[in-house]
Amino acid sequence: MSANGTSNERKATISRITNETKIQIAVSLNGGPVTIEKSILKDKSYDATQSTSSQVISINTGIGFLDHMIHALAKHGGWSLIVECIGDLHIDDHHTTEDVGIALGMAFKEALGQVRGVKRFGTGFAPLDEALSRAVVDLSNRPYAVIELGLKREKIGDLSCEMIPHFLESFAQAAHITLHVDCLRGFNDHHRSESAFKALAIAIKESISSNGTNEVPSTKGVLF
């Protein structure tokens, strides 16, 4: 496992290798250019990509719907993000989903650096047709997650619905943040999930935005 962060630019690169997954992530919380020096991938058939003047996004976990959700998180959070994963999908989707959540949380924490001069708290609401979700974030250094999406299907595409909250829990634990995400209404599980990730993106974007000072936003005087 290795990490390399540039806190003032809010960028990080993460390499996490286990017997179950090989993962590379490059993230810039401010958008702009990001690169991975050498790709570990041979097949990008599930790649979710988007390149604009302000963001570069390329997600390849081997699980199409997970790619779609992480793409939404990055896009609406204003990140540039590259995620590459080779996982043991011949077993199931658990290790890949969990480990990508962990690695993404690690990359987020490394890129953010010390919690100073930011709002710390963020709230987001996002609709997708009939579905509406709410997310609340605290850059607390106290990892905790409460995820209630009310999903009913066994799978969305190749992603088990039980793994969607587990991904968010894994991300929160590794990022050292407190995270609450609820789907308030909706009957389509795709819509419920996607609105949740978009709400989370909005909440995180607010929490890491400037508060106009260089102070630590805590009565304790320290966070992280």
Side-chain angles (χ1 to χ4, degrees), residues 158-169:
D158 291 327
L159 181 61
S160 303
C161 283
E162 68 177 2
M163 291 308 301
I164 296 173
H166 188 56
F167 172 86
L168 296 174
E169 291 162 356

Side-chain angles (χ1 to χ4, degrees), residues 47-80:
D47 206 15
T49 63
Q50 187 172 17
S51 180
T52 69
S53 59
S54 61
Q55 287 177 280
V56 176
I57 301 171
S58 178
I59 316 297
N60 192 318
T61 67
I63 305 171
F65 191 70
L66 182 59
D67 290 357
H68 184 42
M69 293 300 96
I70 299 172
H71 184 185
L73 179 64
K75 179 61 182 177
H76 298 287
W79 305 353
S80 286

Side-chain angles (χ1 to χ4, degrees), residues 9-13 25-36 48 50-59 70-83 104 107-108 111 205 208:
E9 295 181 342
R10 303 209 294 189
K11 291 183 177 182
T13 58
I25 293 179
V27 63
S28 170
L29 302 182
N30 299 336
V34 290
T35 59
I36 284 179
Q50 187 172 17
S51 180
T52 69
S53 59
S54 61
Q55 287 177 280
V56 176
I57 301 171
S58 178
I59 316 297
I70 299 172
H71 184 185
L73 179 64
K75 179 61 182 177
H76 298 287
W79 305 353
S80 286
L81 179 64
I82 300 172
V83 177
L104 185 60
F108 175 85
K205 188 174 185 178
I208 67 174

